[in-house]
Amino acid sequence: ANYVVKNQNKFLEVGLLVDSDYYATDGFHLSGIDERVKHRPWYSDDQKTGDIFLSDFYRSNSTQKWCVALVTKLALPGKNNVRIIIELDAGAMSDDLSGLKTMKKGYVYAIEPKTKRVVIHPDKERLGVDSVSINSELLTTIMAGDGHGNIPSYQYDGQYKFSVYDTSNNFNWVLLSGTNNSEITANALKMGAVGGTLLAVVFFILLAGYLHTRVHQVGGQLIEAQEFDELHEQLSALLNDTMGSSRVYLFVMNANEGGLEEAYHNLRANVPADLLCRIAGCQQLGRFCKPEQDDIVRRIAPSEPCIRLPLVNSARQHENPHTASQLIGVLYICQPGLAYPFFAKMIANYTLSALNQILLTQHIRSEDQMTGLKNKNSLRQHMDQKLADSTTGYFLAMIDVDDFKSVNDTYGHLLGDEVILNIASQMKHSFPAQAVLCRYGGEEFAVLMEAPDTETALKILDDFRAKVEASRIEVNEATSCAITVSIGFAPLRKGMESTISSADRALYQAKSQGKNQVLSAEMCSVGTETAAVTA
């Protein structure tokens, strides 16, 4: 839940209510609230087990932001009242709709019919205030089942406005879109031919409405993709059905190596230098990108139009945008049929959500939950990628805690867990940021790291061994436990299995020669040959 709240800006808080205890993200915990919780806006006595409840619009006490909450009630043996609460930021949802405009001055907004308060609005100062566009009489009509219609004329901020409304959405809100009457009149009369202009406006609205609907219908399916290839195919279908395109490329940011990777076409590239300008907000979404501006465009579309859509997890208002804004990918659309910023932003938002979902799934699949290190499958994938790219200068080290069974038998499994966590922490502080750190299984760990030669790799690994040897784990106030590790390593060459086998043999020899030492596979080979000559 912490990972989701940190990386997806629509989520403010994820909480768990268990009878009189409430737990939430960032370590928040309250006890003895079984009566107080009944007064929270997201709590409903009528909610049944298995149902999903959508709260009224309210201001969060902890974040002071306007939000709504999705709540589901669960059945848990021995517990009477168990609920999961997901708090959604109305301001972030407003950002997603900020690109939807009626002509130039209009915008899309939403109203909660029960309270008549504004719940979605491009101007966040308007959130939570009473709407002036819907009067009590019209609200009664809407509540009686009138699902869509128009508000011909009303006055706001000294101007007369026109809006249309619709209630067919999962939030049961009234969704509105409108603009100033003067802008409608000016646009209708601009060409002088009123009838022809109105027909053109109607045609454009119908076309935009159709494309808008199709983007939402097909775009909503993107988040169901489980792998990058599946996402690429669905994205290609979406673009062909709406904007039109000849090819699409979805590059994903590799945070460890600082580059971009395109899995579907098996491409790799550096981050274009001018992309920082786009992230800073000085380049419009949907603008055509020239080959001389971008090395990637020069490779994939040297002689045809191409637009570039950076996919960025935006910073929250209370965070530093220079550290919190995170580039997670770049979408390139070659030869687009409709390169309008309106559609480009919608497609970028859907792709960003789908990409976040896949990355979150991959993060969970590839991580050891106890230590936060990578797991065995993830390590093998990294090794396979390096071998496929014919990358040289990498070493695989297998690390084993000496006499771990004795530690468990002497001090208990809880201290054994502390030993595992201590080793993981030492690894995170001892090896380069680009190294792949892995818990291989039980008390065995692995490191895939880059080094110019065997001597350098040996020095790095022996420094780590010495740090582990110097550390102490407290058993109680009077007793501490010393631990050591044995390490065997081998260069990443030829095949993955042979590399693992070589590192394992070096580790076995390090254990058999007295433990608490580092041996390379090359040293073991020399030792074996020497023994054979002596015999």
Side-chain angles (χ1 to χ4, degrees), residues 190-261:
K190 189 176 291 183
M191 299 295 293
V194 178
T197 303
L198 287 176
L199 285 175
V201 169
V202 169
F203 173 78
F204 175 77
I205 291 174
L206 290 174
L207 176 62
Y210 167 76
L211 293 175
H212 175 272
T213 302
R214 290 299 297 159
V215 170
H216 278 302
Q217 286 176 343
V218 184
Q221 299 173 6
L222 292 182
I223 61 173
E224 298 176 4
Q226 300 294 314
E227 304 291 343
F228 289 118
D229 285 356
E230 185 182 356
L231 175 58
H232 183 279
E233 291 170 1
Q234 292 189 7
L235 191 56
S236 297
L238 168 63
L239 290 169
N240 288 331
D241 199 28
T242 53
M243 293 177 62
S245 70
S246 60
R247 295 181 313 285
V248 58
Y249 296 82
L250 178 58
F251 284 84
V252 181
M253 186 70 185
N254 184 324
N256 287 332
E257 300 183 3
L260 294 167
E261 299 177 350

